[in-house]
């Protein structure tokens, strides 16, 4: 009963959040959240640094992903300390990788790629867990079950990436092909359901030249699919089917990443198959191999109540706030947009 109530409540909240994002975020006003003066250019005039909704929405997505991971690993019996150390280790590797992989693949220093970060995460998770078990686990008396951890990480990623698509809508990146270039069933399916972005500082405008153009809402499709499969995989996890949960979340997300590239119009690197499509296919193969060679059985049903109760901890709440702030500052400070500010006094109010 508790599982049903929690999953239904979470699905309702996420549906409302996504609906708001799909409806509002393509508009120009939802790109820049705040501008901070950084350098004086003339009396009363300043150059500003923009902080974006992309950063806020990305930080929100990371926060939800970490919350999901904490709850699921707590339900599987891992202490909050063990999960927190796993989170820190993964983020320390994957967050910088989001920029590094984009620089290697797209030859751009001021962009991020979640796909690249996830690919790195898939490859390093098993050795990272082994290292933590031998070091911090031995010191603080915890053991991370590898298949339960893989499943929880895959589920957390599905939710985080799904909600993170709202950040892409806000910035106008990862945009779909114009509806006019689509044919047949695809055109009929998305007719009247496309995104129309406004604002010259959105990437779809300055990189794609498609401001005011109906484009396939690929970010919305990805968000819906990822969160839906996230809930399916969560149900499997809470039913103690960890391998099935891991494969469901990973194959759905990485498989769709490979397929969805055919509906996108933004630059994804050279070649008929993009590097991100190759990473997605390797991710699927790697996940199947992981289940075949590293499968371990975690006895007993996960205790969702125990996972939820672990969150009621002041240290953990501060930890989550810290993660949100670090991600916001890392991804929210815009390096591709600028601002000019002028300040004046309302003389009639003196």
């Amino acid at each position: 009963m508790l599982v049903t109530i929690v999953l239904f409540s979470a699905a309702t909240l996420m549906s409302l959040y996504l609906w708001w994002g799909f409806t509002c975020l393509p508009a120009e006003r939802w790109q820049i959240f705040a501008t901070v003066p950084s350098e004086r250019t003339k009396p009363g005039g300043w150059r500003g640094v923009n902080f974006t909704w992309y950063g806020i929405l990305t930080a929100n997505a990371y926060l939800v992903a970490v919350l999901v991971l904490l709850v699921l690993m707590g339900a599987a019996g891992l202490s909050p300390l063990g999960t927190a150390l796993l989170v820190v280790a993964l983020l320390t590797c994957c967050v910088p990788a989001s920029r590094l992989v984009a620089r290697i693949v797209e030859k751009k220093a001021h962009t991020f790629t979640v796909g690249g970060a996830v690919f790195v995460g898939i490859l390093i998770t098993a050795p990272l867990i082994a290292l933590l078990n031998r070091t911090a686990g031995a010191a603080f008396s915890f053991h991370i079950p590898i298949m339960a951890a893989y499943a929880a990480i895959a589920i957390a990623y599905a939710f985080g990436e799904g909600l993170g698509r709202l950040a892409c809508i806000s910035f106008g990146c990862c945009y779909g092909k114009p509806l006019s270039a689509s044919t047949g069933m695809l055109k009929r399916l998305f007719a009247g359901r496309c995104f129309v972005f406004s604002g010259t500082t959105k990437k779809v405008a300055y990189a794609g030249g498609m401001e005011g153009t109906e484009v396939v809402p690929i970010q919305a499709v990805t968000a819906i699919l990822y969160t839906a499969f996230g809930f399916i995989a969560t149900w499997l996890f809470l039913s103690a089917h960890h391998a099935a949960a891991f494969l469901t979340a990973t194959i759905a997300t990485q498989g769709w990443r490979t397929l969805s590239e055919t509906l996108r119009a933004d630059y994804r690197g050279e070649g008929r198959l993009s590097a991100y499509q190759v990473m997605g296919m390797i991710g699927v193969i790697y996940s199947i191999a992981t289940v075949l060679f590293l499968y371990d059985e975690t006895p007993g049903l996960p205790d969702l109540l125990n996972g939820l109760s672990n969150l009621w901890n002041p240290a953990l709440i501060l930890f989550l706030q810290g993660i949100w702030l670090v991600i916001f500052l890392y991804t929210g400070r815009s390096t591709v947009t600028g601002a000019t500010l002028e300040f004046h006094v309302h003389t009639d109010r003196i």
Side-chain angles (χ1 to χ4, degrees):
M1 186 65 177
L2 177 63
V3 171
T4 302
I5 293 173
V6 170
L7 292 183
F8 178 79
S9 300
T12 301
L13 291 174
M14 284 193 187
S15 297
L16 292 172
Y17 185 58
L18 292 177
W19 173 82
W20 166 80
F22 301 160
T23 304
C24 298
L25 293 175
E28 183 176 9
R29 62 166 293 191
W30 292 100
Q31 183 177 0
I32 307 299
F33 170 73
T35 300
V36 178
S38 63
E39 183 181 351
R40 190 172 182 179
T41 58
K42 61 181 181 179
W46 294 76
R47 184 175 292 111
V49 174
N50 293 325
F51 288 89
T52 61
W53 279 98
Y54 180 96
I56 290 177
L57 296 166
T58 299
N60 289 349
Y62 270 92
L63 180 63
V64 170
V66 174
L67 277 170
V68 169
L69 185 59
L70 284 165
V71 170
L72 293 181
M73 292 307 295
L78 183 63
S79 67
L81 175 62
T83 306
L85 291 174
L86 177 60
V87 167
V88 170
L90 283 171
L91 292 182
T92 300
C93 297
C94 294
V95 172
S98 66
R99 177 164 278 177
L100 178 61
V101 175
R103 179 175 295 183
I104 294 171
V105 174
E106 303 177 43
K107 306 298 189 292
K108 296 177 180 178
H110 301 287
T111 190
F112 301 92
T113 169
V114 176
V118 170
F119 179 70
V120 171
I122 290 174
L123 296 181
I124 68 170
T125 294
L128 198 60
I129 290 174
L131 179 63
L132 284 173
N133 282 338
R134 291 179 182 178
T135 55
F140 297 104
S141 302
F142 67 79
H143 177 80
I144 303 174
I146 190 165
M147 190 50 57
Y150 253 123
I153 291 168
I155 293 167
Y157 162 69
F159 285 121
E161 173 75 343
L163 298 179
R165 290 301 92 189
L166 296 189
C168 297
I169 300 173
S170 170
F171 185 59
C173 61
C174 307
Y175 47 88
K177 293 180 177 180
L179 185 65
S180 58
S182 304
T183 58
M185 185 179 71
L186 196 63
K187 192 167 187 176
R188 291 193 298 272
L189 178 63
F190 291 114
R193 301 180 180 89
C194 289
F195 284 150
V196 179
F197 291 93
S198 60
T200 57
T201 56
K202 287 186 183 285
K203 189 175 182 180
V204 67
Y206 67 76
M210 291 190 289
E211 181 186 9
T213 301
E214 288 188 311
V215 295
V216 174
I218 190 64
Q219 305 99 322
V221 176
T222 301
I224 292 170
L225 282 175
Y226 279 28
T227 53
F229 276 101
F231 280 112
I232 293 171
T234 300
W235 179 81
L236 288 169
F237 183 97
L238 295 175
S239 301
H241 302 303
H242 298 133
F246 170 56
L247 289 176
T248 297
T250 305
I251 292 175
T253 55
Q254 299 310 300
W256 175 247
R257 176 171 292 281
T258 301
L259 179 61
S260 66
E261 295 271 321
T262 62
L263 301 175
R264 290 173 61 165
D266 56 326
Y267 178 72
R268 311 298 291 161
E270 302 295 338
R272 186 172 181 180
L273 280 177
S274 75
Y276 300 118
Q277 287 176 295
V278 174
M279 290 177 195
M281 290 185 283
I282 292 174
V284 170
I285 296 170
Y286 190 87
S287 67
I288 295 172
T290 298
V291 171
L292 292 176
F293 295 105
L294 297 179
Y295 179 75
D296 65 336
E297 186 68 37
T298 303
L301 280 174
D303 184 354
L304 180 57
L305 183 60
N306 183 64
L308 291 171
S309 63
N310 284 343
L311 298 179
W312 195 247
N313 182 312
L316 200 57
I317 293 172
L318 290 173
F319 171 71
L320 292 170
Q321 291 175 337
I323 286 178
W324 189 96
L325 184 60
V326 168
I327 297 300
F328 169 69
L329 292 176
Y330 185 74
T331 63
R333 185 179 182 275
S334 178
T335 57
V336 296
T337 65
T340 302
L341 305 175
E342 288 190 1
F343 299 100
H344 62 273
V345 174
H346 291 290
T347 56
D348 59 319
R349 299 179 184 177
I350 297 176

